[in-house]
Amino acid sequence: MVSIEDYGKFETAWCPGCGNFGILKAIKQALVNLGKEPSEVLIASGIGQSSKLPHYLKCNAFNGLHGRSLPPATGAKVANHELTVLAVTGDGDCYGEGGNHFLHTVRRNPDITMIVHDNQIYGLTKGQASPTSEVGMKTKVQTHGVFNMPLNPLSLAISLDCSFVSRGYAGNIPHLTGLIEKAIQHKGLSLVDVLQPCVSFNKLNTFKWYSERVYEMEDTGYELDDRVKAFERSLEWGDEIPLGVFYVNEKPSFEDHQEVLRSGPLYRNVPRTEMVNELMDGLI
Ligand SMILES: Cc1ncc(C[n+]2csc(CCOP(=O)(O)OP(=O)(O)O)c2C)c(N)n1
Ligand code: SF4
Ligand SMILES: [Mg+2]
C-alpha cells in the first residue's frame, strides 16, 4: 500500500512559513488517499516558487517554461492517458504569462488537475504585482499601488465552462486535501485555485487576513452544474471568501475525442517505421 513516505522528503528553497508547504502536504496526502503510486503520477509545472513543487516529491515530473505547465501536461496525458496528470502553477504562471494556454486548455478539457498556488504576487521575482493582486496593493514596482483590476480565476473558468472549478486555502490542509482528491477523480480539466500566503512579499493577504475571511461552503444552495448560479457565487470576495467546489460539468474529455487512444495508451503502440519510410519516400 502506498504511503506518504513513498513520495519522499526533500530540502526546499521555500521561505519558512510559506503557504506552499501546506499545498505540498495536501497534494501528497490526496495522492496517498487515492492509492496512487508515485510511478502512476506526473506533475508538470512552469516557473515560479510554486512551480518548484515537483522538485519536492518523488514522482514523474516535467519543469517547463514560464506559463507553460499546461502544454506538456496535455502532451503527457495524450501519450499515456493512464497517468494521473497534475499541472502545478502560480497565479502569474497560469493567469499571466500562461493565460492563453489556460483559456484554450479549458476549451480542450483534457483530464488534468490544475493546482494554482494563488499568492496574489510574483514570489520568485521578489514581489511584483500579479494578475490577482488587489487594487491598491503597494509593491517595489507598483509604488503608487496596483490600479489594474484583479482577474477572478473562478469566474473566468466558469464563464469558459471549465468542467470542474474549485477554491482551497493553504491554511486548511484537510479541506484542501479533500478538494484535490475530488479534482483528481473528476474526468476532465479540474481547477483548484489555492489561496496561498506568501509570507515574504505579500504583506496584505496574510494567513491572518485569509483566515478571518475564508469559510467552507457546506451547501452551495444550487445544483453544481448551474453555471449562472456558480458564476454568481464566484463573484463573492471580500469580508467573506467561499472555499469548495463551485461548478461541475461532466462532459467528454480531450482524450475521449481521440479515437487512436481507444486501443490503449499511445506509448504502447509499436512504431511502424516502414509506413513512415513509405510516406517519406513519397515526398522525394
Ligand atoms: C517568459 C518569462 N517572463 C518572465 C520571467 C520571469 N519570472 C520568473 S517567475 C515569475 C513570476 C512567478 O510568479 P508566479 O507564477 O505567481 O509564481 P510564484 O513565484 O508566486 O509562486 C516571473 C515574472 C520568466 N522566467 N519568463
Ligand atoms: S517568496 Fe513567498 S511564495 Fe516564495 S517561498 Fe517565499 S514565502 Fe513562499
Ligand atoms: Mg504567485
Side-chain angles (χ1 to χ4, degrees):
M1 218 171 73
V2 64
S3 70
I4 290 281
E5 287 68 41
D6 294 331
Y7 279 91
K9 209 168 176 213
F10 298 84
E11 206 176 302
T12 76
W14 290 333
C15 310
C18 175
N20 285 338
F21 290 102
I23 303 177
L24 176 61
K25 207 167 173 188
I27 291 178
K28 282 196 212 174
Q29 192 61 59
L31 291 169
V32 169
N33 291 352
L34 294 174
K36 301 278 179 196
E37 297 284 345
S39 60
E40 297 171 321
V41 178
L42 172 105
I43 306 186
S45 70
I47 301 290
Q49 296 286 20
S50 35
S51 291
K52 290 179 189 168
L53 183 137
H55 307 186
Y56 305 145
L57 80 171
K58 198 181 108 191
C59 67
N60 301 293
F62 186 97
N63 195 173
L65 297 172
H66 195 27
R68 272 64 178 171
S69 65
L70 288 168
T74 306
K77 189 73 195 180
V78 174
N80 182 4
H81 62 289
E82 287 175 353
L83 273 178
T84 294
V85 178
L86 271 55
V88 169
T89 168
D91 44 327
D93 197 59
C94 183
Y95 306 135
E97 284 79 358
N100 206 18
H101 291 296
F102 175 49
L103 302 186
H104 296 287
T105 307
V106 170
R107 291 180 50 237
R108 287 186 194 108
N109 196 34
D111 186 14
I112 290 170
T113 300
M114 292 174 62
I115 300 177
V116 186
H117 297 219
D118 190 353
N119 53 11
Q120 303 185 251
I121 200 94
Y122 280 177
L124 185 68
T125 46
K126 303 196 185 312
Q128 302 80 17
S130 84
T132 55
S133 297
E134 308 256 347
V135 167
M137 178 201 254
K138 289 192 176 165
T139 75
K140 276 178 273 177
V141 175
Q142 287 77 23
T143 51
H144 298 291
V146 169
F147 52 79
N148 290 333
M149 284 304 292
L151 176 152
N152 180 329
L154 304 193
S155 308
L156 177 61
I158 294 166
S159 75
L160 293 165
D161 202 14
C162 181
S163 66
F164 181 102
V165 180
S166 68
R167 180 192 282 130
Y169 171 43
N172 186 344
I173 298 170
H175 179 259
L176 179 58
T177 304
L179 268 191
I180 296 172
E181 279 177 48
K182 282 188 197 149
I184 292 174
Q185 283 170 313
H186 174 81
K187 191 162 80 67
L189 189 72
S190 313
L191 170 66
V192 188
D193 184 78
V194 189
L195 303 175
Q196 176 242 315
C198 164
V199 295
S200 296
F201 297 111
N202 187 336
K203 303 294 182 188
L204 178 65
N205 311 106
T206 58
F207 274 106
K208 184 170 179 294
W209 191 95
Y210 285 124
S211 296
E212 284 167 358
R213 288 166 176 78
V214 296
Y215 72 95
E216 290 175 34
M217 289 189 285
E218 294 295 336
D219 174 15
T220 53
Y222 58 85
E223 296 296 325
L224 281 177
D225 62 356
D226 188 329
R227 197 162 157 205
V228 173
K229 292 249 168 60
F231 185 86
E232 253 173 45
R233 196 71 190 262
S234 73
L235 297 175
E236 199 182 315
W237 178 272
D239 291 344
E240 303 223 310
I241 302 176
L243 301 179
V245 180
F246 285 70
Y247 182 60
V248 180
N249 180 10
E250 309 279 354
K251 55 183 172 177
S253 69
F254 182 70
E255 303 83 81
D256 287 338
H257 294 291
Q258 313 305 322
E259 224 176 289
V260 67
L261 299 183
R262 297 212 179 116
S263 54
L266 278 189
Y267 81 93
R268 274 202 218 120
N269 283 0
V270 181
R272 288 156 65 192
T273 39
E274 71 286 353
M275 206 170 123
V276 178
N277 290 341
E278 221 173 273
L279 281 171
M280 295 302 282
D281 288 345
L283 294 175
I284 298 168

